[in-house]
Amino acid sequence: MSEDTTSDRESLPVELVDEQGRTAGTCPVAEAHTAPGLLHRAFSVLLFDATGRVLLQQRAAVKTRFPLQWANTCCGHPAPGEPVTDAAATRLAEELGIRADLREVGTFRYHAADPRTGRVESEWDHVLIGRFDGAPPHPDPAEVADYAWVRPEELNASIAAEPDRYTPWLPGVLTVAGHAE
């Protein structure tokens, strides 16, 4: 995916939601992420391997929000009315070139401003988990700078020691995913 495609993604519609996660309208991605931020539907995928490690990605430098920070396996926004699991499976293939069976395990809400880019996340985040034991990912460099398989206990220790290396939503994703097991 090229940088132009990344810019095009900023014009795609997202589904705005109310305080209970109910649909409340639509707007472009860029508008939803302009301060102070508009609450909208998003998803976060977390894949595990057979040994329990989690697959993380380092966000590409061209990302408009939290570039080069480490995050869950992939994340994004469903189109208005699109099933979250379908959108998540599509993004997983686009960002990392992999497929996995996904199941939604919960939601949480977060709000975070990126001081480096001035953009804001205000999301009603659906957390999906799955297992992946296939061939190594083939990341799209416009989306993913790097990836790593990490043991959850090592990840939690690293987040506690160096929180600025990680996206602000990652701890919430891990909490929701942990309650599913």
Side-chain angles (χ1 to χ4, degrees), residues 6-7 9-12 14 28-35 37-38 40-42 57-71 75-77 91 95 110 112-123 143 166-169:
T6 300
S7 297
R9 294 190 66 72
E10 292 292 301
S11 66
L12 293 174
V14 294
V29 168
E31 183 180 337
H33 292 94
T34 300
L38 298 172
H40 60 281
R41 193 171 313 284
Q57 68 156 274
Q58 183 182 32
R59 294 167 61 80
V62 298
K63 290 287 197 174
T64 60
R65 297 166 305 278
F66 303 96
L68 296 175
Q69 288 187 311
W70 286 89
C75 51
H77 308 99
R91 269 321 265 159
E95 289 190 10
Y110 71 94
D114 184 347
R116 290 173 290 180
T117 67
R119 305 304 293 276
V120 175
E121 296 279 7
S122 183
E123 297 188 332
E143 299 287 344
Y166 300 92
T167 58
W169 61 87

Side-chain angles (χ1 to χ4, degrees), residues 54-122:
V54 297
L55 179 59
L56 300 181
Q57 68 156 274
Q58 183 182 32
R59 294 167 61 80
V62 298
K63 290 287 197 174
T64 60
R65 297 166 305 278
F66 303 96
L68 296 175
Q69 288 187 311
W70 286 89
N72 46 284
T73 309
C74 86
C75 51
H77 308 99
E82 181 182 20
V84 172
T85 304
D86 293 352
T90 298
R91 269 321 265 159
L92 188 58
E94 289 172 351
E95 289 190 10
L96 292 162
I98 59 177
R99 300 199 184 286
D101 289 332
L102 302 173
R103 68 181 173 97
E104 186 173 335
V105 295
T107 60
F108 73 103
R109 180 182 169 187
Y110 71 94
H111 185 91
D114 184 347
R116 290 173 290 180
T117 67
R119 305 304 293 276
V120 175
E121 296 279 7
S122 183

